[in-house]
Amino acid sequence: VDEFSSKAVIYQQTVREYRNMHAEYLREYTRLDAQHNKIHGKGLVKGVFNKHAQNEFFNERVAKLNEGQMACAQKFEQIQSSEKEMLKHIHAIQNHLMGLAKTRLHQIENKVNELNNQRVREQRQLKSYAAKLNEFTCLIEAQGFLRDAIEPFLMDEKTPLTERERQMVKETITAICAVDLSYNGLLTRSKATNRADDTIIEFDFEQKYPLHALKLTEADVKSKDIPEVPIKLEIIYNES
């Protein structure tokens, strides 16, 4: 793909260079043609150039124009060669790009499916952990024992605790008892819910990521309206 892109860039650059050369040739030709028509009453194409000195100026300018014409012809040949090389690979490149796109889309789809499967596995594991923790009902009973027996005992003014220590113990017991160790509480904190939209990435892959086929033709790649190579001017000498 990089190689084809490089060839396309060279092609477009060659076309731009040719257009500039052709435009410069036409500007010079128009100026000289107007001068020749003004002096001799006819344009360059129909002009007959004599050997005498008064036509040396035009002869030299026509020779200069022909040098520009030759440069245009050479650049035009480069365009045709570059264009031929580029068009030779256009169909293979399209097929290659389509293959790359299909592979990439397939990789994305596989990644989404992999993430979904991973979420399902994690969901199951979290539910399994919550179920195992729920088996330890003694933890809930311990919370009740802390709240109903230990806290009243420690809050008794007869215990050798300062007021600040009693407050700290009360806050600690309150925090421990506030933890919901029930099965539903464990599921909620672990986010292991039964809702499908919390687990699965829902998507319609073909609708969201449609694959549009490349349908480039030679006309889409070739530059349009490339001017023809100018005609070489022939100097005809009149011996009179």
Side-chain angles (χ1 to χ4, degrees):
V1 174
D2 290 339
E3 184 179 351
F4 181 83
S5 299
S6 298
K7 291 178 180 178
V9 169
I10 293 174
Y11 170 72
Q12 293 296 335
Q13 182 178 352
T14 306
V15 170
R16 285 194 297 271
E17 292 173 354
Y18 174 76
R19 292 186 190 278
N20 292 335
M21 293 172 62
H22 192 277
E24 178 61 29
Y25 175 90
L26 286 184
R27 284 193 293 270
E28 185 62 25
Y29 177 89
T30 300
R31 286 195 295 266
L32 190 60
D33 185 64
Q35 287 179 314
H36 190 273
N37 188 62
K38 182 177 181 181
I39 295 174
H40 297 283
K42 48 190 168 184
L44 289 175
V45 175
K46 296 182 179 180
V48 177
F49 301 97
N50 296 325
K51 283 186 176 181
H52 48 78
Q54 66 179 11
N55 287 319
E56 278 303 313
F57 169 78
F58 288 106
N59 292 345
E60 292 176 2
R61 297 292 294 275
V62 166
K64 191 70 175 177
L65 275 176
N66 282 338
E67 289 179 6
Q69 185 274 342
M70 184 178 298
C72 285
Q74 292 174 348
K75 187 64 68 173
F76 191 79
E77 287 182 4
Q78 292 178 16
I79 290 176
Q80 290 179 317
S81 176
S82 179
E83 186 177 90
K84 182 180 179 180
E85 181 67 19
M86 187 174 55
L87 294 178
K88 183 171 65 176
H89 299 285
I90 182 173
H91 297 299
I93 286 297
Q94 287 193 95
N95 292 335
H96 182 64
L97 288 174
M98 289 299 298
L100 290 176
K102 288 180 180 178
T103 300
R104 182 57 179 154
L105 290 174
H106 186 62
Q107 290 173 344
I108 295 173
E109 186 176 14
N110 287 341
K111 186 63 177 179
V112 172
N113 290 332
E114 180 183 339
L115 289 174
N116 281 336
N117 292 334
Q118 180 180 342
R119 287 189 174 189
V120 170
R121 290 194 300 269
E122 292 174 350
Q123 190 88 336
R124 291 172 181 169
Q125 289 176 348
L126 289 173
K127 288 183 179 180
S128 176
Y129 296 151
K132 289 180 180 179
L133 287 173
N134 193 53
E135 295 175 1
F136 295 92
T137 55
C138 58
L139 294 176
I140 298 177
E141 295 174 358
Q143 285 179 317
F145 182 72
L146 280 173
R147 182 179 59 251
D148 300 333
I150 303 298
E151 183 179 357
F153 173 76
L154 294 177
M155 293 301 106
D156 192 323
E157 294 181 356
K158 296 179 181 180
T159 56
L161 297 174
T162 64
E163 186 61 31
R164 176 175 174 77
E165 289 172 336
R166 286 193 184 90
Q167 183 63 31
M168 292 175 63
V169 168
K170 182 177 179 63
E171 291 176 355
T172 301
I173 293 175
T174 300
I176 293 175
C177 293
V179 178
D180 187 357
L181 295 175
S182 66
Y183 181 70
N184 290 332
L186 293 171
L187 286 179
T188 300
R189 285 197 302 281
S190 66
K191 298 182 180 179
T193 63
N194 291 319
R195 292 174 54 192
D197 56 353
D198 286 340
T199 306
I200 305 299
I201 303 175
E202 298 289 347
F203 71 102
D204 186 340
F205 196 83
E206 292 185 359
Q207 180 177 359
K208 190 172 183 180
Y209 304 103
L211 182 62
H212 299 288
L214 287 175
K215 297 180 180 179
L216 293 176
T217 64
E218 292 187 0
D220 297 318
V221 178
K222 295 168 58 175
S223 291
K224 299 177 178 60
D225 302 324
I226 300 178
E228 293 292 334
V229 177
I231 299 175
K232 184 178 180 180
L233 297 175
E234 295 292 341
I235 301 178
I236 303 175
Y237 292 107
N238 187 346
E239 297 294 339
S240 61

